[in-house]
């Protein structure tokens, strides 16, 4: 068995200048910026990394796909988990995280998260984030969510935690004068002659100081691009979550891991069987405050399925809802919180209340129709405990990364904490490096085909039908065949006729979605068990003997279209290649 920590065959961790040699078709850069660090993404992970890098004296540029405050972080309703309350400890937080991760968490990464997390939250507060406090004590008000045995979720504005964190960090970035490039879709990683990271190419959409395709030259690149929920038809993710960071990393020669573990949030507002795009989330915190899951007859079907009933880890609740839907031939279940009363709804969950009422549902007087929808990628670009990937100079943090913290299923509200903690660790690692001037960029011609814009909806349809909450060998095989046909058609048009789709945001996003979809399905086919949020109907049991291990995936540097999927020898999270930690001096 090959060693998962190594890079593509014949190379050391992706150290060739071209990586896989695959690049998106795009015009040549018409403008450029120079920096020490380029941060791609403006959620909690990206902005925290940018602030800390800038504070260390590094020339930092933030590139973000929409506006600075329009990433996934602002949509986070529940809160941020940390052992801040009386009687709670990092050890208890660790235990809950390991249980939720279903045997695949990297314990060293989790221990780091829960021990460094409380102080990281306090630093976030010092940066301006204001959390809800008790009127009686003035202490941070903590609540519970699924999988937590303690009240350890800090929230803001009731259910607007992400928006408050985003506000505070955006204001801090603006106050620090950090250069930002908004409305910019990152395209590909740049390399120098030694195979080190040399920056990124990107396309700026709309008017501004920069427009069209350009480049930011920097010896360190931090991917904080968020998730890939748009690979499915219905998701809680914003429209910008098209897997751009994972696709870029794969093309650059980096490894990804655990991409089969896509968390479907159990309680998403059901807007009909044909609803597409971003769907309203009904936070886990609603269940944390005592809401019940019931069927059409008012039966609490989660009671007896798990000791925590509605507050079981998300994979268990999602499966419980899906089973009940199958048994009853129903399209959704209900979340009943009528007993909260109007005052509690208005004060604790104003955002959710407004969203429900905007769709004609009043939670004060009626149960909320809910069904699972794609929510969070537990896997991503493989990193070490300093956020370093298998490509030198390339870092990843937040949802785009796979640090080993989440294992097979993310514990509720650990995501904001992970972004915060690992962003700080990345910035500290970069601050410790010696920086010289950027080396010359080695140009790499585009070789991969672009997908036409309509392929986006086709990928979403294929993934929803074949690789959603319920999976089987047959459904995954059908999905894999359909995805391969999309890729093969485009590749044949390029190689036989020299034709590819017109470069542009729609075609670049469709191409990235197809890339991450192919990897996800390949890993899901390989994992012949049910574990965490990966549910195989044809293999309904967890199989620790054969499958308590990770799947590491990369693009082949030598064989067209090939995905190299390698299982690890054990549940230990494999280390990244040591050549990912040299001085960044050129």
């Amino acid at each position: 068995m090959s060693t998962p920590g190594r890079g593509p065959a014949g190379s050391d961790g992706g150290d060739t200048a071209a990586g896989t040699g695959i690049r998106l078709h795009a015009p040549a850069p018409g403008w450029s910026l120079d920096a020490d660090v380029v941060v791609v993404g403006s959620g909690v992970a990206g902005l925290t990394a940018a602030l800390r890098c800038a504070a260390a004296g590094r020339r930092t540029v933030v590139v973000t796909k929409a506006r600075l405050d329009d990433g996934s972080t602002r949509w986070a309703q529940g809160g941020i988990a940390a052992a801040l309350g009386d009687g709670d400890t990092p050890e208890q937080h660790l235990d809950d995280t390991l249980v939720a991760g279903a045997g695949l968490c990297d314990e060293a990464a989790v221990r780091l998260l829960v021990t460094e997390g409380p102080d990281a939250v306090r630093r976030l507060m010092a940066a301006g984030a204001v959390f809800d406090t008790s009127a009686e004590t003035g202490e941070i008000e903590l609540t519970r969510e699924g999988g937590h045995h303690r009240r350890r979720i800090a929230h803001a504005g009731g259910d607007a935690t992400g928006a408050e964190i985003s506000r505070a960090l955006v204001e801090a970035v603006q106050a620090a004068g950090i250069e930002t490039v908004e409305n910019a879709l990152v395209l590909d990683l740049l390399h120098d002659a030694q195979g080190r990271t040399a920056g990124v190419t990107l396309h700026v959409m709309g008017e501004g100081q920069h427009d069209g395709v350009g480049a930011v030259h920097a010896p360190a690149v931090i991917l904080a691009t968020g998730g890939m929920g748009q690979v499915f038809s219905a998701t809680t993710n914003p429209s910008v979550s098209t897997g751009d960071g994972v696709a870029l990393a794969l093309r650059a020669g980096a490894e990804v891991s655990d991409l089969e573990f896509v968390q479907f949030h159990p309680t998403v507002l059901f807007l009909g069987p044909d609803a597409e795009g971003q769907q309203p989330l009904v936070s886990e915190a609603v269940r944390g405050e005592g809401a019940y899951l019931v069927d059409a007859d008012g039966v609490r079907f989660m009671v007896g399925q798990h000791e925590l009933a509605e507050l079981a880890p998300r994979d268990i609740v999602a499966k419980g809802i899906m089973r009940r839907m199958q048994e009853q031939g129903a399209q959704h279940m209900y979340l009943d919180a009528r007993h909260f009363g109007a005052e509690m709804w208005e004060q604790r969950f104003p955002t959710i209340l407004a969203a429900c009422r905007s769709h004609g549902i009043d939670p004060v007087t009626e149960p909320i129709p809910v069904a699972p929808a794609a929510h969070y990628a537990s896997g991503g670009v493989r990193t070490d405990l300093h956020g370093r990937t298998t490509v030198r100079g390339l870092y990843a943090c937040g949802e785009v990364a796979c640090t080993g913290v989440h294992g097979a299923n993310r514990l509720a509200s650990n995501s904001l904490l992970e972004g915060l903690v690992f962003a700080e660790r990345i910035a500290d690692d970069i601050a410790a490096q010696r920086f010289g001037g950027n080396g010359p960029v080695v140009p790499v011609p585009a070789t991969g085909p672009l997908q036409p814009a309509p392929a986006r909806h086709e990928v979403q349809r294929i993934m929803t039908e074949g690789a959603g909450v319920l999976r089987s060998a047959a459904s995954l095989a059908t999905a894999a065949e359909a995805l391969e046909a999309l890729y093969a058609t485009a590749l044949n048009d390029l190689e036989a006729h020299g034709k590819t789709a017109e470069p542009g945001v729609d075609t670049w996003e469709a191409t990235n979605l197809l890339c991450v979809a192919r990897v996800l399905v390949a890993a899901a086919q390989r994992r012949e068990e049910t574990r965490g949020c990966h549910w195989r109907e044809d293999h309904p049991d967890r199989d620790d003997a054969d499958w308590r291990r990770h799947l590491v995936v990369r693009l082949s540097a030598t064989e067209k279209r090939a995905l190299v999927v390698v299982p690890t020898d054990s549940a230990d999270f494999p280390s990244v290649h040591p050549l990912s930690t040299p001085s960044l001096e050129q």
Side-chain angles (χ1 to χ4, degrees):
M1 181 178 295
S2 59
T3 306
R6 307 295 292 192
S11 76
D12 288 326
D15 293 325
T16 61
T20 64
I22 303 172
R23 294 292 183 272
L24 293 173
H25 284 263
W31 56 271
S32 66
L33 299 172
D34 288 325
D36 294 325
V37 184
V38 56
V39 179
V40 187
S42 61
V44 63
L47 296 186
T48 298
L51 284 165
R52 205 164 173 104
C53 285
R58 302 306 189 192
R59 294 174 300 162
T60 304
V61 174
V62 175
V63 172
T64 187
K65 195 173 179 181
R67 297 187 309 275
L68 201 59
D69 62 350
D70 208 22
S72 293
T73 291
R74 68 184 288 255
W75 297 101
Q77 295 174 344
I80 185 167
L84 297 167
D86 290 341
D88 197 6
T89 64
E91 197 70 26
Q92 293 176 66
H93 190 181
L94 180 141
D95 289 344
D96 286 346
T97 301
L98 295 180
V99 170
L104 282 187
C105 293
D106 177 57
E107 185 167 341
V110 178
R111 190 170 295 280
L112 180 156
L113 178 83
V114 300
T115 54
E116 296 187 5
D119 284 343
V121 172
R122 295 183 184 102
R123 285 189 289 272
L124 180 62
M125 295 168 63
V130 179
F131 292 99
D132 295 341
T133 56
S134 167
E136 289 77 24
T137 66
E139 299 294 323
I140 294 178
E141 202 168 50
L142 301 173
T143 188
R144 279 183 67 194
E145 293 184 7
H148 293 272
H149 284 78
R150 288 276 188 176
R151 298 179 73 89
R152 66 168 64 98
I153 316 301
H155 52 83
D159 58 359
T161 311
E164 168 59 18
I165 290 173
S166 180
R167 178 206 61 77
L169 291 175
V170 167
E171 289 183 3
V173 164
Q174 292 171 337
I178 296 173
E179 185 168 4
T180 61
V181 182
E182 296 182 303
N183 301 307
L185 170 64
V186 68
L187 299 176
D188 278 304
L189 193 71
L190 296 171
H191 297 264
D192 66 13
Q194 285 71 47
R196 291 187 289 249
T197 292
V200 293
T201 55
L202 62 157
H203 173 79
V204 178
M205 302 165 273
E207 298 180 1
Q209 183 179 356
H210 307 289
D211 198 11
V213 175
V216 181
H217 298 127
V221 171
I222 303 173
L223 294 178
T225 52
M228 56 183 192
Q230 290 291 326
V231 78
F232 295 96
S233 296
T235 177
T236 63
N237 290 190
S239 61
V240 295
S241 298
T242 50
D244 308 318
V246 171
L248 175 150
L250 283 163
R251 290 192 295 269
E255 296 175 350
V256 303
S257 186
D258 299 350
L259 219 62
E260 68 271 32
F261 297 116
V262 176
Q263 187 177 80
F264 284 76
H265 198 287
T267 54
V268 175
L269 184 61
F270 181 75
L271 299 179
D274 299 321
E276 294 183 345
Q278 186 178 9
Q279 308 294 300
L281 175 66
V282 182
S283 170
E284 194 138 349
V286 178
R287 280 176 281 137
E289 295 291 356
Y292 308 132
L293 279 166
V294 298
D295 60 20
D297 297 321
V299 176
R300 287 183 63 189
F301 55 88
M302 285 304 300
V303 174
Q305 292 198 35
H306 189 275
E307 62 167 335
L308 296 176
E310 285 90 354
L311 283 176
R314 288 177 177 174
D315 62 312
I316 294 172
V317 179
K319 290 170 187 175
I321 291 173
M322 291 299 296
R323 288 194 188 98
R324 197 65 158 195
M325 287 165 55
Q326 288 179 321
E327 291 168 2
Q328 299 187 344
Q331 295 180 326
H332 62 82
M333 291 287 109
Y334 293 94
L335 187 64
D336 191 350
R338 290 174 291 180
H339 53 286
F340 284 6
E343 183 178 356
M344 181 173 176
W345 268 111
E346 290 163 1
Q347 293 183 0
R348 179 69 176 88
F349 301 111
T351 307
I352 299 170
L353 178 63
C356 289
R357 284 177 170 171
S358 71
H359 291 285
I361 300 157
D362 188 351
V364 177
T365 60
E366 60 186 316
I368 306 168
V370 294
H375 182 57
Y376 190 89
S378 293
V381 184
R382 208 162 63 74
T383 74
D384 66 8
L385 298 183
H386 298 280
R388 298 177 291 221
T389 75
T390 49
V391 173
R392 292 190 290 177
L394 179 65
Y395 296 79
C397 58
E399 190 173 355
V400 70
C402 184
T403 61
V405 160
H406 303 308
N409 182 48
R410 175 177 67 94
L411 180 65
S413 287
N414 267 357
S415 51
L416 292 175
L417 189 70
E418 182 198 30
L420 192 64
V421 167
F422 282 87
E424 291 187 344
R425 293 184 68 82
I426 287 173
D428 291 348
D429 190 71
I430 290 174
Q433 305 290 344
R434 293 175 298 151
F435 275 60
N438 294 331
V441 172
V442 176
V444 178
T447 57
L450 290 179
Q451 292 295 314
R456 175 179 183 138
H457 297 290
E458 185 63 10
V459 169
Q460 291 172 334
R461 181 194 63 79
I462 292 167
M463 294 297 290
T464 299
E465 293 178 359
V469 179
L470 299 178
R471 303 166 178 174
S472 67
S475 75
L476 291 167
T478 299
E481 183 179 355
L483 294 172
E484 186 62 26
L486 287 176
Y487 188 89
T489 297
L491 184 64
N492 182 67
D493 286 345
L494 178 64
E495 294 185 338
H497 309 293
K499 297 179 180 179
T500 192
E502 186 70 21
V505 174
D506 290 346
T507 56
W508 290 321
E509 287 186 333
T511 302
N512 286 339
L513 284 170
L514 179 60
C515 176
V516 297
R518 292 178 65 227
V519 174
L520 192 162
V521 169
Q525 282 185 294
R526 190 71 174 268
R527 183 172 291 281
E528 295 181 333
E529 66 160 351
T530 290
R531 180 186 297 271
C533 49
H534 172 66
W535 188 2
R536 285 283 298 261
E537 291 181 286
D538 51 334
H539 295 281
D541 299 318
R542 172 170 155 173
D543 182 359
D544 280 352
D546 291 330
W547 283 110
R548 192 165 177 247
R549 61 192 67 230
H550 302 272
L551 290 172
V552 177
V553 186
R554 55 180 169 81
L555 296 183
S556 172
T558 56
E559 187 178 347
K560 292 174 185 174
R561 302 200 303 271
L563 298 174
V564 180
V565 184
V566 181
T568 61
D569 292 315
S570 71
D572 294 338
F573 202 65
S575 61
V576 300
H577 193 275
L579 287 181
S580 63
T581 57
S583 165
L584 296 177
E585 184 177 24
Q586 302 299 314

